[in-house]
Protein backbone atom coordinates (compact mmCIF):
# COMPACT_ATOMS: atom_id res chain seq x y z
CA UNK A 1 0.00 0.00 0.00
CA UNK A 2 1.25 3.45 -0.88
CA UNK A 3 0.68 5.81 1.99
CA UNK A 4 1.28 9.45 2.49
CA UNK A 5 2.72 10.73 5.72
CA UNK A 6 0.70 13.12 7.75
CA UNK A 7 1.29 14.69 11.12
CA UNK A 8 -1.50 14.83 13.63
CA UNK A 9 -1.34 16.98 16.73
CA UNK A 10 -1.05 14.89 19.84
CA UNK A 11 -0.47 11.74 17.74
CA UNK A 12 2.54 10.06 16.19
CA UNK A 13 3.24 10.23 12.49
CA UNK A 14 0.55 8.20 10.75
CA UNK A 15 0.50 6.36 7.46
CA UNK A 16 -2.63 7.13 5.52
CA UNK A 17 -3.15 4.44 2.88
CA UNK A 18 -5.87 5.02 0.33
CA UNK A 19 -7.59 1.84 1.40
CA UNK A 20 -8.63 2.54 4.98
CA UNK A 21 -9.79 -1.01 5.61
CA UNK A 22 -6.19 -2.23 5.54
CA UNK A 23 -5.25 -0.18 8.59
CA UNK A 24 -4.38 -1.56 11.96
CA UNK A 25 -5.87 0.01 15.07
CA UNK A 26 -2.68 2.00 15.72
CA UNK A 27 -2.84 3.63 12.32
CA UNK A 28 -6.31 5.11 12.68
CA UNK A 29 -7.09 8.74 13.30
CA UNK A 30 -8.67 8.99 16.71
CA UNK A 31 -10.84 12.00 17.50
CA UNK A 32 -11.75 12.34 21.14
CA UNK A 33 -15.06 14.19 21.43
CA UNK A 34 -15.77 15.28 24.98
CA UNK A 35 -19.06 16.76 26.18
CA UNK A 36 -20.75 17.38 29.50
CA UNK A 37 -24.39 16.43 29.07
CA UNK A 38 -26.23 13.11 29.27
CA UNK A 39 -26.39 10.71 26.35
CA UNK A 40 -30.14 11.00 25.88
CA UNK A 41 -29.97 14.68 24.96
CA UNK A 42 -29.78 16.37 21.55
CA UNK A 43 -26.01 16.85 21.90
CA UNK A 44 -25.39 13.38 23.33
CA UNK A 45 -27.37 11.59 20.60
CA UNK A 46 -25.91 13.67 17.78
CA UNK A 47 -22.34 13.09 18.99
CA UNK A 48 -22.93 9.34 18.90
CA UNK A 49 -24.57 9.47 15.46
CA UNK A 50 -21.70 11.58 14.11
CA UNK A 51 -19.18 9.07 15.47
CA UNK A 52 -20.87 6.07 13.93
CA UNK A 53 -21.39 7.71 10.50
CA UNK A 54 -17.79 8.93 10.32
CA UNK A 55 -16.53 5.46 11.20
CA UNK A 56 -18.73 3.86 8.55
CA UNK A 57 -17.82 6.39 5.86
CA UNK A 58 -14.08 6.15 6.44
CA UNK A 59 -14.13 2.36 6.74
CA UNK A 60 -12.98 2.72 10.31
CA UNK A 61 -9.99 4.92 9.49
CA UNK A 62 -11.39 7.76 11.58
CA UNK A 63 -12.60 6.75 14.99
CA UNK A 64 -14.57 9.36 16.93
CA UNK A 65 -14.59 8.41 20.61
CA UNK A 66 -17.39 10.15 22.48
CA UNK A 67 -17.02 10.89 26.21
CA UNK A 68 -20.34 12.18 27.67
CA UNK A 69 -21.31 13.62 31.07
CA UNK A 70 -18.01 15.41 31.63
CA UNK A 71 -16.34 12.03 32.33
CA UNK A 72 -13.14 12.99 30.52
CA UNK A 73 -13.09 16.76 30.95
CA UNK A 74 -15.49 18.57 33.17
CA UNK A 75 -17.53 21.61 32.32
CA UNK A 76 -15.15 24.58 32.28
CA UNK A 77 -12.13 22.44 31.35
CA UNK A 78 -13.01 21.23 27.86
CA UNK A 79 -12.21 24.36 25.83
CA UNK A 80 -8.72 24.52 27.29
CA UNK A 81 -8.23 20.77 26.76
CA UNK A 82 -9.18 21.26 23.10
CA UNK A 83 -6.67 24.05 22.55
CA UNK A 84 -3.99 21.98 24.28
CA UNK A 85 -4.73 19.12 21.86
CA UNK A 86 -5.70 16.70 24.67
CA UNK A 87 -9.04 16.26 22.94
CA UNK A 88 -9.97 17.08 19.37
CA UNK A 89 -13.67 17.92 19.46
CA UNK A 90 -16.14 19.64 21.80
CA UNK A 91 -19.60 21.20 21.49
CA UNK A 92 -19.90 23.80 24.26
CA UNK A 93 -22.95 25.96 24.85
CA UNK A 94 -22.58 29.33 23.16
CA UNK A 95 -22.70 31.05 26.59
CA UNK A 96 -19.44 29.27 27.42
CA UNK A 97 -17.75 30.50 24.25
CA UNK A 98 -17.96 33.91 25.88
CA UNK A 99 -15.04 32.86 28.08
CA UNK A 100 -12.95 33.06 24.86
CA UNK A 101 -14.91 35.53 22.74
CA UNK A 102 -17.19 37.60 25.03
CA UNK A 103 -19.20 38.95 22.05
CA UNK A 104 -20.91 35.53 21.90
CA UNK A 105 -23.02 36.71 24.84
CA UNK A 106 -25.27 38.48 22.34
CA UNK A 107 -26.99 35.10 21.92
CA UNK A 108 -27.78 35.10 25.68
CA UNK A 109 -29.73 38.36 25.55
CA UNK A 110 -33.17 37.66 27.02
CA UNK A 111 -35.99 37.31 24.48
CA UNK A 112 -33.59 38.11 21.61
CA UNK A 113 -34.80 35.21 19.46
CA UNK A 114 -38.17 33.56 19.07
CA UNK A 115 -36.96 30.27 17.63
CA UNK A 116 -33.74 28.52 16.74
CA UNK A 117 -34.19 29.33 13.04
CA UNK A 118 -33.75 33.00 13.94
CA UNK A 119 -30.50 32.16 15.76
CA UNK A 120 -29.22 30.31 12.68
CA UNK A 121 -30.09 33.23 10.43
CA UNK A 122 -28.32 35.60 12.80
CA UNK A 123 -25.20 33.42 12.74
CA UNK A 124 -25.28 33.36 8.94
CA UNK A 125 -25.47 37.17 8.83
CA UNK A 126 -22.59 39.60 9.05
CA UNK A 127 -22.39 39.82 12.86
CA UNK A 128 -22.79 36.07 13.27
CA UNK A 129 -20.04 35.37 10.78
CA UNK A 130 -17.76 37.67 12.72
CA UNK A 131 -18.52 35.72 15.91
CA UNK A 132 -17.44 32.50 14.18
CA UNK A 133 -14.39 34.22 12.74
CA UNK A 134 -13.32 35.38 16.21
CA UNK A 135 -13.36 31.73 17.30
CA UNK A 136 -11.12 30.80 14.38
CA UNK A 137 -8.71 33.53 15.36
CA UNK A 138 -8.48 31.90 18.79
CA UNK A 139 -7.48 28.46 17.46
CA UNK A 140 -10.88 26.79 17.14
CA UNK A 141 -12.34 25.39 13.94
CA UNK A 142 -16.17 25.58 13.92
CA UNK A 143 -17.76 22.59 12.20
CA UNK A 144 -21.43 23.20 12.88
CA UNK A 145 -24.07 24.76 15.08
CA UNK A 146 -26.26 22.42 17.09
CA UNK A 147 -29.48 23.30 18.85
CA UNK A 148 -30.70 22.58 22.26
CA UNK A 149 -33.62 24.95 22.52
CA UNK A 150 -34.96 27.59 24.86
CA UNK A 151 -34.36 27.82 28.59
CA UNK A 152 -37.02 27.67 31.28
CA UNK A 153 -36.85 28.87 34.88
CA UNK A 154 -37.12 26.55 37.88
CA UNK A 155 -36.85 27.26 41.60
CA UNK A 156 -37.90 25.95 44.98
CA UNK A 157 -39.28 29.11 46.60
CA UNK A 158 -42.24 30.58 44.66
CA UNK A 159 -43.89 30.69 41.22
CA UNK A 160 -42.05 33.07 38.89
CA UNK A 161 -44.74 35.17 37.26
CA UNK A 162 -43.67 38.80 37.67
CA UNK A 163 -40.17 40.33 37.67
CA UNK A 164 -40.40 40.93 41.45
CA UNK A 165 -40.75 37.21 42.08
CA UNK A 166 -37.05 36.75 41.36
CA UNK A 167 -35.93 38.90 44.29
CA UNK A 168 -33.56 37.07 46.61
CA UNK A 169 -33.40 33.82 44.62
CA UNK A 170 -30.02 32.12 44.11
CA UNK A 171 -29.54 30.98 40.52
CA UNK A 172 -26.95 28.61 39.11
CA UNK A 173 -25.94 30.04 35.75
CA UNK A 174 -23.54 29.36 32.90
CA UNK A 175 -20.49 31.64 32.72
CA UNK A 176 -21.86 34.67 30.83
CA UNK A 177 -22.08 38.21 32.11
CA UNK A 178 -25.26 38.79 30.10
CA UNK A 179 -26.93 35.94 32.00
CA UNK A 180 -25.51 37.26 35.26
CA UNK A 181 -26.83 40.72 34.46
CA UNK A 182 -30.23 39.29 33.51
CA UNK A 183 -30.71 37.97 37.04
CA UNK A 184 -29.12 41.02 38.65
CA UNK A 185 -31.78 43.21 36.99
CA UNK A 186 -34.44 41.00 38.53
CA UNK A 187 -32.93 41.15 42.02
CA UNK A 188 -31.62 37.57 42.13
CA UNK A 189 -28.06 36.49 42.87
CA UNK A 190 -26.11 34.10 40.67
CA UNK A 191 -23.26 31.67 40.78
CA UNK A 192 -21.67 30.22 37.68
CA UNK A 193 -21.13 26.51 38.35
CA UNK A 194 -20.27 23.47 36.33
CA UNK A 195 -23.31 21.82 34.75
CA UNK A 196 -22.25 18.55 36.34
CA UNK A 197 -22.70 20.05 39.81
CA UNK A 198 -26.16 21.54 39.39
CA UNK A 199 -28.02 18.54 40.81
CA UNK A 200 -25.86 18.48 43.93
CA UNK A 201 -26.09 22.24 44.43
CA UNK A 202 -29.88 22.17 44.30
CA UNK A 203 -30.03 19.07 46.46
CA UNK A 204 -27.85 20.65 49.15
CA UNK A 205 -29.84 23.87 48.81
CA UNK A 206 -26.70 25.86 48.05
CA UNK A 207 -28.69 27.20 45.09
CA UNK A 208 -32.46 27.32 44.95
CA UNK A 209 -33.01 28.15 41.29
CA UNK A 210 -31.66 27.49 37.82
CA UNK A 211 -32.46 27.99 34.15
CA UNK A 212 -32.07 25.37 31.45
CA UNK A 213 -33.75 23.60 28.56
CA UNK A 214 -36.27 20.81 29.12
CA UNK A 215 -33.89 18.16 27.81
CA UNK A 216 -31.25 19.18 30.37
CA UNK A 217 -33.79 19.63 33.17
CA UNK A 218 -35.23 16.18 32.55
CA UNK A 219 -32.09 14.19 31.68
CA UNK A 220 -30.44 15.39 34.91
CA UNK A 221 -33.65 15.08 36.98
CA UNK A 222 -33.34 18.70 38.07
CA UNK A 223 -37.12 19.09 38.18
CA UNK A 224 -37.33 16.51 40.95
CA UNK A 225 -35.51 18.97 43.23
CA UNK A 226 -37.50 22.08 42.31
CA UNK A 227 -41.09 23.05 43.14
CA UNK A 228 -41.87 25.66 40.47
CA UNK A 229 -41.24 25.84 36.77
CA UNK A 230 -42.04 28.78 34.51
CA UNK A 231 -42.25 28.02 30.79
CA UNK A 232 -40.62 31.28 29.77
CA UNK A 233 -38.51 30.44 26.69
CA UNK A 234 -36.53 33.54 27.63
CA UNK A 235 -33.11 32.55 26.34
CA UNK A 236 -31.63 30.33 23.67
CA UNK A 237 -29.18 27.51 24.41
CA UNK A 238 -27.25 26.16 21.43
CA UNK A 239 -23.81 24.76 20.73
CA UNK A 240 -20.93 25.35 18.38
CA UNK A 241 -19.23 22.09 17.43
CA UNK A 242 -15.51 22.83 17.45
CA UNK A 243 -12.35 21.07 16.45
CA UNK A 244 -8.83 21.96 17.41
CA UNK A 245 -7.73 24.05 14.43
CA UNK A 246 -4.22 22.60 14.04
CA UNK A 247 -5.67 19.12 14.19
CA UNK A 248 -8.24 20.01 11.53
CA UNK A 249 -5.62 21.59 9.26
CA UNK A 250 -3.51 18.45 9.37
CA UNK A 251 -6.31 16.12 8.34
CA UNK A 252 -6.19 14.87 4.74
CA UNK A 253 -8.59 16.76 2.50
CA UNK A 254 -10.80 13.77 1.72
CA UNK A 255 -11.21 13.13 5.45
CA UNK A 256 -12.06 16.79 6.03
CA UNK A 257 -14.77 16.52 3.38
CA UNK A 258 -16.27 13.39 4.92
CA UNK A 259 -16.24 15.00 8.36
CA UNK A 260 -17.85 18.23 7.15
CA UNK A 261 -20.51 16.50 5.04
CA UNK A 262 -21.35 14.19 7.91
CA UNK A 263 -21.51 17.12 10.30
CA UNK A 264 -23.94 18.96 7.99
CA UNK A 265 -26.16 15.90 7.78
CA UNK A 266 -26.04 15.19 11.52
CA UNK A 267 -26.79 18.86 12.24
CA UNK A 268 -30.11 18.62 10.38
CA UNK A 269 -30.93 15.47 12.33
CA UNK A 270 -29.85 17.08 15.61
CA UNK A 271 -32.14 20.08 15.13
CA UNK A 272 -35.13 17.72 14.85
CA UNK A 273 -34.00 15.73 17.91
CA UNK A 274 -33.69 18.92 19.97
CA UNK A 275 -37.27 19.85 19.21
CA UNK A 276 -38.52 16.33 19.88
CA UNK A 277 -36.61 15.87 23.17
CA UNK A 278 -37.67 19.26 24.50
CA UNK A 279 -41.33 18.48 23.67
CA UNK A 280 -41.00 15.12 25.40
CA UNK A 281 -39.32 16.83 28.37
CA UNK A 282 -42.19 19.29 28.72
CA UNK A 283 -44.69 16.41 28.65
CA UNK A 284 -42.68 14.57 31.28
CA UNK A 285 -42.75 17.50 33.72
CA UNK A 286 -46.42 18.15 32.92
CA UNK A 287 -47.36 14.62 33.86
CA UNK A 288 -45.03 14.00 36.82
CA UNK A 289 -47.33 15.68 39.34
CA UNK A 290 -44.23 16.83 41.08
CA UNK A 291 -43.77 20.45 40.04
CA UNK A 292 -46.03 23.48 39.74
CA UNK A 293 -45.93 24.79 36.16
CA UNK A 294 -46.66 28.34 35.07
CA UNK A 295 -46.89 29.27 31.37
CA UNK A 296 -45.79 32.87 30.93
CA UNK A 297 -48.53 34.92 29.27
CA UNK A 298 -47.83 37.60 26.65
CA UNK A 299 -48.51 40.39 29.19
CA UNK A 300 -46.20 38.83 31.76
CA UNK A 301 -43.53 38.31 29.11
CA UNK A 302 -43.79 42.00 28.26
CA UNK A 303 -43.22 42.88 31.92
CA UNK A 304 -40.11 40.64 32.02
CA UNK A 305 -38.83 42.21 28.82
CA UNK A 306 -39.35 45.73 30.23
CA UNK A 307 -37.47 44.82 33.41
CA UNK A 308 -34.64 43.30 31.38
CA UNK A 309 -34.11 46.18 28.96
CA UNK A 310 -30.96 47.44 30.82
CA UNK A 311 -29.23 44.14 29.94
CA UNK A 312 -29.28 45.23 26.28
CA UNK A 313 -27.84 48.62 27.14
CA UNK A 314 -25.04 47.05 29.16
CA UNK A 315 -24.19 44.74 26.27
CA UNK A 316 -24.23 47.63 23.77
CA UNK A 317 -21.95 49.69 26.05
CA UNK A 318 -19.43 46.85 26.10
CA UNK A 319 -19.46 45.66 22.49
CA UNK A 320 -21.25 48.33 20.45
CA UNK A 321 -24.86 48.48 19.34
CA UNK A 322 -24.29 46.71 16.01
CA UNK A 323 -24.70 43.21 17.42
CA UNK A 324 -28.07 44.27 18.83
CA UNK A 325 -29.21 46.19 15.75
CA UNK A 326 -28.80 43.02 13.69
CA UNK A 327 -31.06 40.94 15.97
CA UNK A 328 -34.20 39.71 14.15
CA UNK A 329 -36.50 41.73 16.39
CA UNK A 330 -34.72 44.96 15.45
CA UNK A 331 -34.84 44.43 11.71
C1 LIG B 1 -25.27 24.18 31.05
O1 LIG B 1 -24.17 24.33 31.59
O2 LIG B 1 -26.33 24.36 31.65
C2 LIG B 1 -25.34 23.74 29.61
O3 LIG B 1 -24.22 24.27 28.95
C3 LIG B 1 -25.25 22.29 29.46
C4 LIG B 1 -25.19 21.94 28.00
O4 LIG B 1 -24.09 21.82 27.48
O5 LIG B 1 -26.28 21.80 27.43
Amino acid sequence: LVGMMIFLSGCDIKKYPMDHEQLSAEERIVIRFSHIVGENTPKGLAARKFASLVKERTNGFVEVQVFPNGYLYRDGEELEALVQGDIQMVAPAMSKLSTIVPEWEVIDLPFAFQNSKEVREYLEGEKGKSLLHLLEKSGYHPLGVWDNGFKQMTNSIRPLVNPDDFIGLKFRIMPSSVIQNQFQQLGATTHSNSFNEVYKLLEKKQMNAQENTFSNIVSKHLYSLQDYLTVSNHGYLGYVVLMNQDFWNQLPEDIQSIIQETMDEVTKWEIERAEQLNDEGLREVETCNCIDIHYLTEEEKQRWEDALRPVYKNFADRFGADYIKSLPKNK
Side-chain angles (χ1 to χ4, degrees), residues 69 74 156 170 172 193-210 216-217 220-226:
N69 286 308
R74 296 178 66 73
S156 58
K170 284 191 217 153
R172 175 273 167 178
N193 297 94
S194 154
F195 178 66
N196 309 98
E197 285 168 10
V198 185
Y199 187 91
K200 220 181 283 167
L201 289 167
L202 295 176
E203 193 181 33
K204 291 189 173 160
K205 306 206 184 311
Q206 284 166 322
M207 299 280 141
N208 53 25
Q210 66 87 43
N216 280 340
I217 290 171
K220 292 292 175 196
H221 307 287
L222 304 181
Y223 65 107
S224 67
L225 299 169
Q226 301 270 269

Short mmCIF file of all heavy atoms in Angstrom, two decimals, residues 69 74 156 170 172 193-210 216-217 220-226:
data_model
loop_
_atom_site.label_atom_id
_atom_site.label_comp_id
_atom_site.label_asym_id
_atom_site.label_seq_id
_atom_site.Cartn_x
_atom_site.Cartn_y
_atom_site.Cartn_z
N ASN A 69 -21.15 13.35 29.63
CA ASN A 69 -21.31 13.62 31.07
C ASN A 69 -20.10 14.23 31.77
O ASN A 69 -19.97 14.10 33.00
CB ASN A 69 -21.69 12.31 31.79
CG ASN A 69 -23.13 11.92 31.51
OD1 ASN A 69 -24.04 12.72 31.68
ND2 ASN A 69 -23.34 10.69 31.04
N ARG A 74 -14.29 18.01 32.57
CA ARG A 74 -15.49 18.57 33.17
C ARG A 74 -15.85 19.90 32.51
O ARG A 74 -15.05 20.49 31.80
CB ARG A 74 -15.29 18.75 34.68
CG ARG A 74 -15.08 17.43 35.39
CD ARG A 74 -14.84 17.62 36.86
NE ARG A 74 -16.02 18.15 37.54
CZ ARG A 74 -17.10 17.43 37.79
NH1 ARG A 74 -17.16 16.16 37.43
NH2 ARG A 74 -18.12 17.97 38.41
N SER A 156 -37.21 26.68 43.91
CA SER A 156 -37.90 25.95 44.98
C SER A 156 -38.56 26.88 45.99
O SER A 156 -38.92 26.45 47.09
CB SER A 156 -36.91 25.02 45.69
OG SER A 156 -35.85 25.78 46.19
N LYS A 170 -31.44 32.41 44.41
CA LYS A 170 -30.02 32.12 44.11
C LYS A 170 -29.95 31.20 42.91
O LYS A 170 -30.27 30.01 43.01
CB LYS A 170 -29.36 31.41 45.29
CG LYS A 170 -29.04 32.30 46.45
CD LYS A 170 -28.17 31.53 47.42
CE LYS A 170 -28.54 31.88 48.84
NZ LYS A 170 -28.28 30.85 49.80
N ARG A 172 -28.15 29.16 39.78
CA ARG A 172 -26.95 28.61 39.11
C ARG A 172 -27.05 29.05 37.65
O ARG A 172 -28.09 28.87 37.02
CB ARG A 172 -26.92 27.09 39.21
CG ARG A 172 -25.75 26.46 38.42
CD ARG A 172 -26.09 26.18 36.97
NE ARG A 172 -24.91 25.87 36.18
CZ ARG A 172 -24.94 25.55 34.89
NH1 ARG A 172 -26.07 25.48 34.25
NH2 ARG A 172 -23.84 25.32 34.23
N ASN A 193 -21.68 27.82 37.95
CA ASN A 193 -21.13 26.51 38.35
C ASN A 193 -21.13 25.55 37.18
O ASN A 193 -21.89 25.71 36.24
CB ASN A 193 -21.99 25.87 39.45
CG ASN A 193 -21.99 26.68 40.71
OD1 ASN A 193 -22.87 27.49 40.90
ND2 ASN A 193 -21.00 26.48 41.55
N SER A 194 -20.33 24.53 37.33
CA SER A 194 -20.27 23.47 36.33
C SER A 194 -21.65 22.81 36.21
O SER A 194 -22.34 22.59 37.21
CB SER A 194 -19.24 22.44 36.80
OG SER A 194 -19.53 21.18 36.26
N PHE A 195 -22.03 22.49 34.98
CA PHE A 195 -23.31 21.82 34.75
C PHE A 195 -23.39 20.52 35.55
O PHE A 195 -24.44 20.15 36.06
CB PHE A 195 -23.46 21.52 33.25
CG PHE A 195 -24.71 20.79 32.89
CD1 PHE A 195 -25.95 21.38 33.06
CD2 PHE A 195 -24.65 19.50 32.39
CE1 PHE A 195 -27.13 20.70 32.73
CE2 PHE A 195 -25.82 18.81 32.06
CZ PHE A 195 -27.05 19.41 32.23
N ASN A 196 -22.26 19.85 35.67
CA ASN A 196 -22.25 18.55 36.34
C ASN A 196 -22.46 18.65 37.85
O ASN A 196 -22.63 17.64 38.52
CB ASN A 196 -20.96 17.81 36.02
CG ASN A 196 -20.72 17.78 34.52
OD1 ASN A 196 -19.97 18.59 34.00
ND2 ASN A 196 -21.40 16.91 33.82
N GLU A 197 -22.48 19.89 38.36
CA GLU A 197 -22.70 20.05 39.81
C GLU A 197 -24.09 20.56 40.15
O GLU A 197 -24.42 20.72 41.32
CB GLU A 197 -21.69 21.08 40.36
CG GLU A 197 -20.30 20.54 40.51
CD GLU A 197 -19.30 21.65 40.78
OE1 GLU A 197 -19.71 22.80 41.04
OE2 GLU A 197 -18.10 21.34 40.72
N VAL A 198 -24.90 20.86 39.11
CA VAL A 198 -26.16 21.54 39.39
C VAL A 198 -27.06 20.70 40.30
O VAL A 198 -27.65 21.21 41.27
CB VAL A 198 -26.91 21.90 38.08
CG1 VAL A 198 -28.16 22.71 38.40
CG2 VAL A 198 -26.02 22.68 37.15
N TYR A 199 -27.14 19.40 40.01
CA TYR A 199 -28.02 18.54 40.81
C TYR A 199 -27.64 18.63 42.31
O TYR A 199 -28.47 18.86 43.17
CB TYR A 199 -27.95 17.09 40.31
CG TYR A 199 -28.96 16.19 40.98
CD1 TYR A 199 -30.22 16.01 40.42
CD2 TYR A 199 -28.66 15.55 42.18
CE1 TYR A 199 -31.18 15.20 41.04
CE2 TYR A 199 -29.61 14.75 42.81
CZ TYR A 199 -30.85 14.58 42.24
OH TYR A 199 -31.79 13.79 42.86
N LYS A 200 -26.34 18.47 42.55
CA LYS A 200 -25.86 18.48 43.93
C LYS A 200 -26.12 19.83 44.61
O LYS A 200 -26.53 19.91 45.77
CB LYS A 200 -24.37 18.16 43.96
CG LYS A 200 -23.98 17.25 45.12
CD LYS A 200 -22.51 16.96 45.16
CE LYS A 200 -22.10 15.93 44.11
NZ LYS A 200 -20.63 15.87 43.93
N LEU A 201 -25.89 20.90 43.86
CA LEU A 201 -26.09 22.24 44.43
C LEU A 201 -27.55 22.48 44.82
O LEU A 201 -27.83 23.07 45.87
CB LEU A 201 -25.68 23.32 43.41
CG LEU A 201 -24.19 23.46 43.13
CD1 LEU A 201 -23.96 24.31 41.90
CD2 LEU A 201 -23.48 24.06 44.34
N LEU A 202 -28.45 22.00 43.99
CA LEU A 202 -29.88 22.17 44.30
C LEU A 202 -30.27 21.25 45.46
O LEU A 202 -31.03 21.61 46.35
CB LEU A 202 -30.74 21.85 43.08
CG LEU A 202 -30.60 22.78 41.86
CD1 LEU A 202 -31.45 22.27 40.69
CD2 LEU A 202 -30.97 24.22 42.19
N GLU A 203 -29.71 20.04 45.42
CA GLU A 203 -30.03 19.07 46.46
C GLU A 203 -29.58 19.57 47.83
O GLU A 203 -30.30 19.47 48.82
CB GLU A 203 -29.33 17.74 46.13
CG GLU A 203 -29.81 16.58 46.94
CD GLU A 203 -29.06 15.30 46.56
OE1 GLU A 203 -27.86 15.39 46.21
OE2 GLU A 203 -29.68 14.23 46.63
N LYS A 204 -28.39 20.14 47.87
CA LYS A 204 -27.85 20.65 49.15
C LYS A 204 -28.37 22.03 49.49
O LYS A 204 -27.92 22.66 50.45
CB LYS A 204 -26.33 20.69 49.08
CG LYS A 204 -25.68 19.33 49.05
CD LYS A 204 -24.19 19.48 49.21
CE LYS A 204 -23.53 18.13 49.35
NZ LYS A 204 -22.10 18.22 49.03
N LYS A 205 -29.22 22.55 48.63
CA LYS A 205 -29.84 23.87 48.81
C LYS A 205 -28.82 25.01 48.83
O LYS A 205 -29.05 26.07 49.40
CB LYS A 205 -30.74 23.90 50.06
CG LYS A 205 -31.78 22.78 50.06
CD LYS A 205 -33.00 23.14 50.86
CE LYS A 205 -34.00 22.01 50.96
NZ LYS A 205 -34.36 21.36 49.70
N GLN A 206 -27.66 24.77 48.18
CA GLN A 206 -26.70 25.86 48.05
C GLN A 206 -27.19 26.86 47.00
O GLN A 206 -26.83 28.03 47.02
CB GLN A 206 -25.33 25.31 47.68
CG GLN A 206 -24.66 24.68 48.89
CD GLN A 206 -23.47 23.83 48.52
OE1 GLN A 206 -23.47 23.15 47.50
NE2 GLN A 206 -22.46 23.88 49.34
N MET A 207 -27.99 26.37 46.07
CA MET A 207 -28.69 27.20 45.09
C MET A 207 -30.15 26.79 45.19
O MET A 207 -30.45 25.63 45.50
CB MET A 207 -28.21 26.89 43.66
CG MET A 207 -26.76 27.13 43.42
SD MET A 207 -26.46 28.87 43.14
CE MET A 207 -24.92 29.05 44.00
N ASN A 208 -31.06 27.75 44.93
CA ASN A 208 -32.46 27.32 44.95
C ASN A 208 -33.17 27.54 43.62
O ASN A 208 -34.39 27.40 43.52
CB ASN A 208 -33.23 28.02 46.09
CG ASN A 208 -33.08 29.53 46.05
OD1 ASN A 208 -32.83 30.10 44.99
ND2 ASN A 208 -33.23 30.17 47.20
N ALA A 209 -32.39 27.89 42.59
CA ALA A 209 -33.01 28.15 41.29
C ALA A 209 -32.01 27.90 40.17
O ALA A 209 -30.79 27.93 40.41
CB ALA A 209 -33.49 29.60 41.25
N GLN A 210 -32.53 27.66 38.98
CA GLN A 210 -31.66 27.49 37.82
C GLN A 210 -32.49 27.69 36.55
O GLN A 210 -33.71 27.68 36.59
CB GLN A 210 -30.99 26.11 37.84
CG GLN A 210 -31.91 24.92 37.68
CD GLN A 210 -32.16 24.55 36.23
OE1 GLN A 210 -31.25 24.53 35.42
NE2 GLN A 210 -33.43 24.27 35.89
N ASN A 216 -32.21 19.22 29.27
CA ASN A 216 -31.25 19.18 30.37
C ASN A 216 -31.92 19.05 31.73
O ASN A 216 -31.44 18.33 32.61
CB ASN A 216 -30.38 20.45 30.36
CG ASN A 216 -29.25 20.38 29.33
OD1 ASN A 216 -28.87 19.29 28.89
ND2 ASN A 216 -28.72 21.52 28.93
N ILE A 217 -33.07 19.70 31.89
CA ILE A 217 -33.79 19.63 33.17
C ILE A 217 -34.25 18.20 33.44
O ILE A 217 -34.14 17.68 34.56
CB ILE A 217 -35.01 20.60 33.15
CG1 ILE A 217 -34.53 22.06 33.18
CG2 ILE A 217 -35.96 20.32 34.31
CD1 ILE A 217 -35.63 23.10 32.95
N LYS A 220 -31.18 15.34 33.63
CA LYS A 220 -30.44 15.39 34.91
C LYS A 220 -31.38 15.42 36.12
O LYS A 220 -30.94 15.70 37.24
CB LYS A 220 -29.51 16.62 34.94
CG LYS A 220 -28.36 16.54 33.94
CD LYS A 220 -27.35 15.44 34.31
CE LYS A 220 -26.29 15.30 33.24
NZ LYS A 220 -25.51 14.06 33.32
N HIS A 221 -32.65 15.16 35.88
CA HIS A 221 -33.65 15.08 36.98
C HIS A 221 -33.69 16.33 37.84
O HIS A 221 -33.98 16.26 39.04
CB HIS A 221 -33.39 13.86 37.88
CG HIS A 221 -33.28 12.59 37.12
ND1 HIS A 221 -34.38 11.97 36.57
CD2 HIS A 221 -32.21 11.85 36.77
CE1 HIS A 221 -33.99 10.89 35.92
NE2 HIS A 221 -32.68 10.80 36.01
N LEU A 222 -33.38 17.48 37.26
CA LEU A 222 -33.34 18.70 38.07
C LEU A 222 -34.73 19.07 38.58
O LEU A 222 -34.88 19.62 39.66
CB LEU A 222 -32.76 19.87 37.26
CG LEU A 222 -31.37 19.64 36.66
CD1 LEU A 222 -30.89 20.87 35.90
CD2 LEU A 222 -30.36 19.28 37.76
N TYR A 223 -35.75 18.71 37.80
CA TYR A 223 -37.12 19.09 38.18
C TYR A 223 -37.56 18.38 39.45
O TYR A 223 -38.43 18.86 40.17
CB TYR A 223 -38.10 18.85 37.03
CG TYR A 223 -38.28 17.40 36.64
CD1 TYR A 223 -39.46 16.71 36.95
CD2 TYR A 223 -37.29 16.72 35.97
CE1 TYR A 223 -39.62 15.39 36.60
CE2 TYR A 223 -37.45 15.39 35.61
CZ TYR A 223 -38.61 14.73 35.92
OH TYR A 223 -38.77 13.42 35.57
N SER A 224 -36.93 17.24 39.74
CA SER A 224 -37.33 16.51 40.95
C SER A 224 -36.90 17.25 42.22
O SER A 224 -37.36 16.94 43.31
CB SER A 224 -36.74 15.09 40.93
OG SER A 224 -35.34 15.17 41.05
N LEU A 225 -36.00 18.24 42.06
CA LEU A 225 -35.51 18.97 43.23
C LEU A 225 -36.11 20.38 43.32
O LEU A 225 -35.75 21.15 44.20
CB LEU A 225 -33.99 19.11 43.15
CG LEU A 225 -33.20 17.81 43.12
CD1 LEU A 225 -31.75 18.09 42.78
CD2 LEU A 225 -33.30 17.11 44.47
N GLN A 226 -36.97 20.72 42.35
CA GLN A 226 -37.50 22.08 42.31
C GLN A 226 -39.03 22.02 42.40
O GLN A 226 -39.66 21.04 41.99
CB GLN A 226 -37.10 22.76 40.98
CG GLN A 226 -35.58 22.83 40.80
CD GLN A 226 -34.96 24.09 41.36
OE1 GLN A 226 -34.81 25.07 40.69
NE2 GLN A 226 -34.59 24.05 42.64
#
